[in-house]
Amino acid sequence: MLHRAQVTIKKRTILSFLFALFVAAWGGAYLLPLWLNQRGQDDCIFKGIGEKQYETYLAKAKNSSPLNLETRKDGLDKGYSKLIGDRVDEAIRGQDTFVKKVAAVHALMRALGGYYRSTVARVYHKGLVFFDGRVKPETTAIVYNYYIDMSPKRLYLPIRRWMTVKIVYKLKKNEYHEANTFYVVAFYPHLLSPFYMTAPKSPVGEACPIVPLHSANMKSFKNEATK
């Protein structure tokens, strides 16, 4: 009887250990990417914007409602593109310079559970290249790439957890003016789809979006988020 009891206790100990190991592995798979990829993203410094002003952007964004779609009739990609586009439109409203709008958008994305991946430029005849802050004559758009973690809606599954969000600022004739627009394209990470859109990670590894070098004091006038 004693031997049988010892065997039972040993089995329970092994099962408890295996369960604890599974929970630790699951938790690590969930938390480690957050820790590795998001360091410094809440400490961004934008030229011409004080720390308190950025904190105001962040506080305002945190008071907004969660990303919950009311309908899925147009598909998850279009639905989230419009929903996030509406939030971007609200975030940049009243901001009179390009750098203020980028800071407000970054604060919004952080509040929505997103993290910054890279800034790329769409260059005529070259496609997408990593942006270094210089707007060239052949540059047609600046694209800010973010991931939003969708795993809390899926019982914290660590696979296909990131929704890619591209916040695009379209330039016309290499200028900032009323015809330029911010628009949002979201790619929902469907679990069963063979296609999974990802966003490139900056090779430099910067934690904050890159603003054009000459835009800090430049008016961007009436940029609107289009859906």
Side-chain angles (χ1 to χ4, degrees):
M1 291 292 294
L2 181 61
H3 177 69
R4 184 177 297 176
Q6 289 176 337
V7 170
T8 301
I9 292 173
K10 188 175 182 180
K11 286 182 178 179
R12 289 179 178 175
T13 301
I14 293 174
L15 288 175
S16 297
F17 172 76
L18 291 176
F19 178 75
L21 187 63
F22 172 78
V23 171
W26 191 281
Y30 177 73
L31 294 174
L32 187 61
L34 298 178
W35 181 75
L36 290 176
N37 294 314
Q38 302 192 42
R39 288 177 294 178
Q41 296 208 3
D42 290 324
D43 302 317
C44 294
I45 297 176
F46 296 92
K47 186 176 180 180
I49 295 180
E51 182 178 346
K52 290 185 178 180
Q53 186 172 1
Y54 179 73
E55 290 177 355
T56 300
Y57 293 150
L58 192 58
K60 179 182 177 182
K62 287 181 176 179
N63 288 329
S64 60
S65 57
L67 289 176
N68 294 322
L69 287 179
E70 295 181 0
T71 177
R72 299 187 178 192
K73 65 178 183 179
D74 294 327
L76 293 174
D77 291 352
K78 288 185 178 180
Y80 277 109
S81 295
K82 184 180 186 307
L83 185 59
I84 299 172
D86 290 341
R87 301 291 178 84
V88 169
D89 185 29
E90 182 180 354
I92 66 176
R93 189 176 297 123
Q95 307 305 317
D96 60 355
T97 63
F98 183 77
V99 66
K100 288 180 181 179
K101 296 185 178 186
V102 172
V105 167
H106 182 69
L108 170 68
M109 297 303 294
R110 294 295 295 151
L112 292 177
Y115 80 88
Y116 167 78
R117 288 284 290 176
S118 60
T119 304
V120 299
R122 186 178 296 153
V123 180
Y124 189 64
H125 284 321
K126 292 184 179 180
L128 295 174
V129 297
F130 288 107
F131 187 53
D132 61 2
R134 292 174 293 180
V135 178
K136 301 176 182 178
E138 60 271 22
T139 302
T140 61
I142 301 170
V143 183
Y144 295 102
N145 292 311
Y146 285 86
Y147 278 169
I148 291 182
D149 188 4
M150 303 304 290
S151 63
K153 298 178 181 292
R154 299 171 168 179
L155 301 178
Y156 296 95
L157 284 175
I159 58 173
R160 288 203 172 188
R161 62 187 291 187
W162 308 110
M163 177 167 66
T164 298
V165 179
K166 296 180 177 290
I167 301 173
V168 185
Y169 183 79
K170 190 174 182 180
L171 292 126
K172 186 175 182 181
K173 296 181 180 179
N174 192 26
E175 297 176 353
Y176 301 88
H177 53 70
E178 66 279 1
N180 295 350
T181 57
F182 279 95
Y183 66 92
V184 174
V185 183
F187 299 92
Y188 188 83
H190 300 275
L191 285 174
L192 301 179
S193 172
F195 303 103
Y196 180 39
M197 176 63 69
T198 60
K201 182 176 176 59
S202 170
V204 180
E206 75 275 2
C208 307
I210 298 175
V211 178
L213 298 174
H214 59 286
S215 68
N217 299 314
M218 182 178 291
K219 301 289 183 180
S220 52
F221 300 107
K222 187 187 174 183
N223 299 314
E224 297 176 350
T226 59
K227 293 65 134 179

